Amino acid sequence: LVGTGVTISGASLVCPSNANGIFNIVTSPVGLDSGIILTSGQANTVGTAIGANGAYTSFATNSNSAPGDADLNSISSSTTNDACVLEFDFIPSGDTIKFDYVFGSEEYNGPTGNFNCSINDIFGFFISGPGIVGKQNIALIPGTTVPVGVSTVNDGVGASPGNPCYTNTNGNGPYTQYYINNANGLVLTYTGFTTMFTAIKAVTPCTTYHLKLAIADASDFIYDSGVFLKAG
């Protein structure tokens, strides 16, 4: 994940062993070539345990019976479960840090159901350190303070005023322009995924910050979601 100009220390991974991994993409619409994947279920397909690397007609739904995460609870509309959390300290040599990512989910409208506007699987990239009050989530819809998740980015099917697609976007409804439908058979298990987002934050050079990358199921332990983090 870390490129040049950044020194890291104290890395910690609190995540079921099957829920995370390293990915390399040969042909895919995801827009990333390699990096780290964190999921709320299964990362790699092994037998009947379907991970992110499968056919659209497959069904990625794995319960790890793992706890959720308090920081994710604070930005989700529901209590979370099956959390996968990667965190570390870092010292930047420059004045800005950024990384690219793509979020995908089986909760999206597809052959296994439609939970666009009811189950809000969520993830967050929380940064803390000099000049930042508390922990700040930088995984946001561009130009807004809205976290990226199932109910905030989707195809709009099932959205109506008053439901989570509206309440979680401050009345704006889902941001459909950032959603990619996987129904054309592209090589990815999740029924849908986002366009590539960039998390970015101004920092003070040569000082220590803390970064927490976390994803979890909302409400239940099933219907997996995953976030792809670009290497470098």
Side-chain angles (χ1 to χ4, degrees), residues 156-184:
V157 174
S160 59
N163 70 23
C165 276
Y166 281 79
T167 57
N168 292 343
T169 57
N170 302 317
N172 294 313
Y175 291 91
T176 57
Q177 67 268 39
Y178 301 115
Y179 179 77
I180 298 175
N181 189 340
N182 194 30
N184 57 3

Side-chain angles (χ1 to χ4, degrees), residues 27 35 47 62 64 81 91 104 146 151 153-154 187 196 199 206 223:
T27 302
N62 301 274
N64 293 321
N81 304 293
I91 300 175
V146 175
S151 70
V153 178
N154 59 60
V187 184
M196 186 171 67
C206 305
Y223 285 76

Side-chain angles (χ1 to χ4, degrees), residues 96-220:
T96 306
I97 60 113
K98 68 174 185 175
F99 49 94
D100 298 329
Y101 65 94
V102 169
F103 171 74
S105 182
E106 203 77 327
E107 302 279 8
Y108 284 132
N109 181 34
T112 56
N114 176 18
F115 302 95
N116 279 348
C117 299
S118 56
I119 306 296
N120 186 34
D121 283 6
I122 195 75
F123 68 99
F125 303 150
F126 302 96
I127 187 171
S128 55
I132 299 172
V133 178
K135 299 176 183 177
Q136 182 179 347
N137 178 32
I138 57 173
L140 304 173
I141 305 293
T144 77
T145 58
V146 175
V148 177
V150 169
S151 70
T152 58
V153 178
N154 59 60
D155 63 5
V157 174
S160 59
N163 70 23
C165 276
Y166 281 79
T167 57
N168 292 343
T169 57
N170 302 317
N172 294 313
Y175 291 91
T176 57
Q177 67 268 39
Y178 301 115
Y179 179 77
I180 298 175
N181 189 340
N182 194 30
N184 57 3
L186 301 171
V187 184
L188 191 67
T189 309
Y190 301 136
T191 50
F193 52 95
T194 68
T195 58
M196 186 171 67
F197 288 118
T198 298
I200 187 168
K201 181 64 179 175
V203 292
T204 302
C206 305
T207 59
T208 301
Y209 288 84
H210 187 79
L211 187 64
K212 175 180 179 179
L213 313 174
I215 186 170
D217 285 325
S219 302
D220 54 34

Side-chain angles (χ1 to χ4, degrees), residues 2-17:
V2 179
T4 58
V6 178
T7 302
I8 66 167
S9 62
S12 169
L13 179 65
V14 179
C15 178
S17 59

